[in-house]
Amino acid sequence: MRVSQLFNPTLREVPAEAEVVSHQLMLRAGFIRKAAAGIYTHLPLGLRVIRKIEQIVREEMDAKGGQEVLLPIVQPAELWQETGRWDVYGPEMFRLRDRHEREFCLGPTHEEIITDLIRTEVRSYKQMPLLLYQIQNKYRDERRPRFGLMRGREFIMKDLYSFDRDQAGAMVSYQKMYDAYIRIFSRCGLKFRPVEADQGAIGGTGASHEFMVLADSGEAAVVYCPACDYAANVEQAESHPRPVPSENPTGGRKKVHTPGAKSIDDLSGFLNLPKSYLLKALLYQGDERVFLVLVRGDREVNEIKLNNALGGFVQLGLASRETIVKTLGVEAGFVGPVGAPKGMEIVADLEVALMNQAVCGANEVDFHFTDVVPGKDFKIDHIFDLRVVEAGEGCPKCGAPLEAARGIEAGQVFNLGTKYSKAMGATYLDENGQEQLCVMGCYGIGVTRTAAAAIEQYHDADGIIWPIPIAPYHCIIVPVSLKDEAVAETAEKLYREFLTLGIEVVLDDRDERPGVKFKDADLVGYPLRITVGSKALANGQVELRDRKSGQTDLIAVGTVAAHVRAFIHNALEHVGD
Ligand code: ATP
Ligand code: MG
């Protein structure tokens, strides 16, 4: 491709709307343009990156026995009503009506559609395991579409669905996909980490892992153990309860006047007590039910764990001020479990059950109780692991201090059990002619998000630094001046030679100053630049520059193609090392 013909509108300025580097650079380097919030047009260079990621994904899915299909984007409401997800999905679902007023949605995911297919087409155990996948647009009307391709409302996903005879078979499929994902992200040249994950709205009963591309800008917080292989999304990370040493610092059971001490910080300062002696009591509302949720003052409630433990509400969140006042007769800040109204369900974190002299709100403005013993001075209805795990605390597997990292969720694998096959009646006949439910799994990779994540990981002040396997082109040839005939001719000759050798090459044949060409080449992030200038050429040489290391070598014109090929070959062989 010649740059003079390449549709690659670059921008000098950083677009104001772009908060993260990948979004800024994709706009500046002419990879995407916005059509509406979270909806983008992919320009030629951007699309090449996407196609490369898709190809890697496709090869690895096929290698595990996956078969590619293409499911409809427009899906009838009835299928979603069968699983109950027409309501559960809420405002994230794009809904529409046809001319007959029938309801449809634009597929945010495809469990319903594929289960509908399988229930009619799969009859016998002999037809399984079955692994079907597609690479296609997904539609989610995200509450906060942002960060460009990272969180779009229309985005490209690879989704594979596995159907097995039993749970053991489903776990074999799960392991296949887990292994394939390791290969995919390694082949893309990314630094990543698989972590234990929550199952979210897709839900199921078995295992789930997320594949996190590590980047400081990542929306997800991860904890991992440097000593063993434990790693989890903090949404999911198991806490290791640690009791607080008890040396009776609260001075015995009293009702103390704590004027204005509404927050844990206020109260800890006022009583001169570590936060770990205080009880944080929060009123939560899950659909129509309210709960008093207790964690230690130095801990945070993990709402995902809370919701899972309580059985999964459509909506779970802190109760409004009105609800607090109505149910407990007091303002937030002085709420506590002692003397809570009869029938109020009290849910406590594991560590709360270990406290033996806690301070808690007295359900009276400006008053707290000291030396309260949970389980004795008030009843606890449910004890669960409810809190957020933090870096520095003990690994639940081996006890070593956990470390924290941030990541971008680029993929997720789920064991779905029989959630969908049961709801939709996807059954088969086993060897004994008995009807059984198919056991399912689903496995997604955000293709467009992976492209953005790669930029978050690989960039510098000048632009993108593509890992070779997903770079839009491998190299760019830059003739410094077209007026110098020898330069122009050599550049052209090399370009043709590279094309014949199958090297993915771009020739910057524009009549621009070299500075402009270099800036654009760095911005787009071509892994290699071959500069043809009159000085070096006088010695029969051209300059070969590695975008990543910045290393520049003078190479004889006759051998530059071999060098470039070796470089690319080497990079593709050793990705992920
Ligand atoms: P998130 O928690 O980030 O909203 P999710 O867990 O809802 O994502 P999944 O249903 O697991 O997403 O979808 C599989 C993959 O699709 C994700 O791992 C991610 O790479 C990608 N993905 C999900 N939502 C978006 C989005 N809004 N824009 C781009 N990619 C997305
Ligand atoms: Mg996910």
Side-chain angles (χ1 to χ4, degrees), residues 210 409 412 414:
E210 284 163 336
E409 180 204 322
Q412 186 162 11
F414 294 90

Side-chain angles (χ1 to χ4, degrees), residues 5-265:
Q5 283 149 40
L6 181 63
F7 184 49
N8 179 219
T10 55
L11 306 170
R12 288 280 160 259
E13 302 294 317
V14 177
E17 85 246 38
E19 293 169 63
V20 295
V21 161
S22 58
H23 190 191
Q24 292 168 357
L25 288 175
M26 280 200 180
L27 287 167
R28 283 190 55 209
F31 282 59
I32 55 168
R33 285 295 179 263
K34 177 170 140 184
I39 298 177
Y40 291 89
T41 296
H42 300 280
L43 304 185
L45 290 182
L47 189 59
R48 283 181 72 94
V49 172
I50 287 171
R51 292 288 181 252
K52 287 202 173 175
I53 297 171
E54 287 177 354
Q55 190 51 32
I56 292 172
V57 168
R58 194 171 268 126
E59 285 169 18
E60 296 301 332
M61 291 296 104
D62 291 349
K64 296 294 181 194
Q67 300 178 60
E68 190 166 359
V69 293
L70 191 57
L71 303 166
I73 289 172
V74 178
Q75 307 183 7
E78 292 77 32
L79 293 180
W80 290 80
Q81 282 152 355
E82 280 190 54
T83 59
R85 287 210 296 179
W86 185 253
D87 298 323
V88 175
Y89 233 96
E92 247 190 44
M93 189 183 256
F94 277 105
R95 296 159 205 259
L96 63 152
R97 285 170 193 275
D98 69 6
R99 63 174 74 203
H100 308 293
E101 291 295 310
R102 286 189 207 109
E103 288 188 294
F104 291 85
C105 69
L106 301 181
T109 176
H110 282 72
E111 285 81 9
E112 280 77 359
I113 282 278
I114 196 127
T115 309
D116 178 48
L117 175 77
I118 296 309
R119 70 175 162 188
T120 40
E121 304 304 332
V122 169
R123 290 267 161 262
S124 155
Y125 69 94
K126 292 182 189 145
Q127 290 166 279
M128 288 182 288
L130 189 58
L131 295 112
L132 300 176
Y133 76 97
Q134 61 168 348
I135 301 177
Q136 197 203 45
N137 281 357
K138 291 279 185 282
Y139 294 84
R140 295 184 185 177
D141 197 357
E142 297 272 357
R143 191 164 53 90
R144 286 188 69 195
R146 56 183 184 156
F147 303 160
L149 297 192
M150 202 84 85
R151 184 168 293 286
R153 295 196 297 165
E154 175 183 88
F155 58 95
I156 302 175
M157 196 204 284
K158 180 285 301 178
D159 42 332
L160 183 141
Y161 303 87
S162 65
F163 294 85
D164 278 278
R165 307 174 49 178
D166 50 26
Q167 186 59 21
M171 285 320 289
V172 173
S173 296
Y174 186 92
Q175 191 61 42
K176 279 187 188 165
M177 286 300 114
Y178 184 98
D179 296 344
Y181 278 34
I182 300 266
R183 285 189 54 85
I184 288 167
F185 294 113
S186 305
R187 282 186 63 190
C188 287
L190 299 174
K191 298 188 205 85
F192 67 97
R193 191 184 276 281
V195 303
E196 291 180 13
D198 175 62
Q199 304 230 352
I202 296 205
T205 47
S208 180
H209 285 87
E210 284 163 336
F211 286 74
M212 296 288 183
V213 172
L214 302 172
D216 292 339
S217 59
E219 287 184 291
V222 166
V223 286
Y224 65 94
C225 177
C228 71
D229 62 353
Y230 181 77
N233 190 321
V234 290
E235 288 181 350
Q236 164 80 12
E238 237 175 277
S239 76
H240 198 65
R242 283 181 303 178
V244 179
S246 53
E247 66 261 355
N248 201 18
T250 59
R253 175 71 182 273
K254 285 193 291 281
K255 182 166 153 186
V256 287
H257 191 215
T258 51
K262 278 185 132 189
S263 69
I264 290 286
D265 280 334

Side-chain angles (χ1 to χ4, degrees), residues 212-331:
M212 296 288 183
V213 172
L214 302 172
D216 292 339
S217 59
E219 287 184 291
V222 166
V223 286
Y224 65 94
C225 177
C228 71
D229 62 353
Y230 181 77
N233 190 321
V234 290
E235 288 181 350
Q236 164 80 12
E238 237 175 277
S239 76
H240 198 65
R242 283 181 303 178
V244 179
S246 53
E247 66 261 355
N248 201 18
T250 59
R253 175 71 182 273
K254 285 193 291 281
K255 182 166 153 186
V256 287
H257 191 215
T258 51
K262 278 185 132 189
S263 69
I264 290 286
D265 280 334
D266 296 342
L267 191 62
S268 152
F270 188 88
L271 297 175
N272 196 22
L273 270 181
K275 290 189 218 172
S276 54
Y277 282 89
L278 313 180
L279 211 85
K280 198 182 273 183
L282 301 162
L283 197 68
Y284 271 88
Q285 179 151 11
D287 298 339
E288 297 307 310
R289 282 162 72 187
V290 290
F291 301 91
L292 194 59
V293 175
L294 307 176
V295 288
R296 236 167 54 186
D298 57 336
R299 305 300 197 191
E300 299 297 328
V301 173
N302 179 329
E303 293 187 357
I304 293 183
K305 283 188 188 175
L306 179 67
N307 199 8
N308 289 343
L310 293 175
F313 296 104
V314 176
Q315 288 275 353
L316 175 83
L318 284 169
S320 65
R321 185 182 163 268
E322 293 76 58
T323 312
I324 298 174
V325 173
K326 207 175 79 201
T327 36
L328 296 166
V330 69
E331 293 283 337

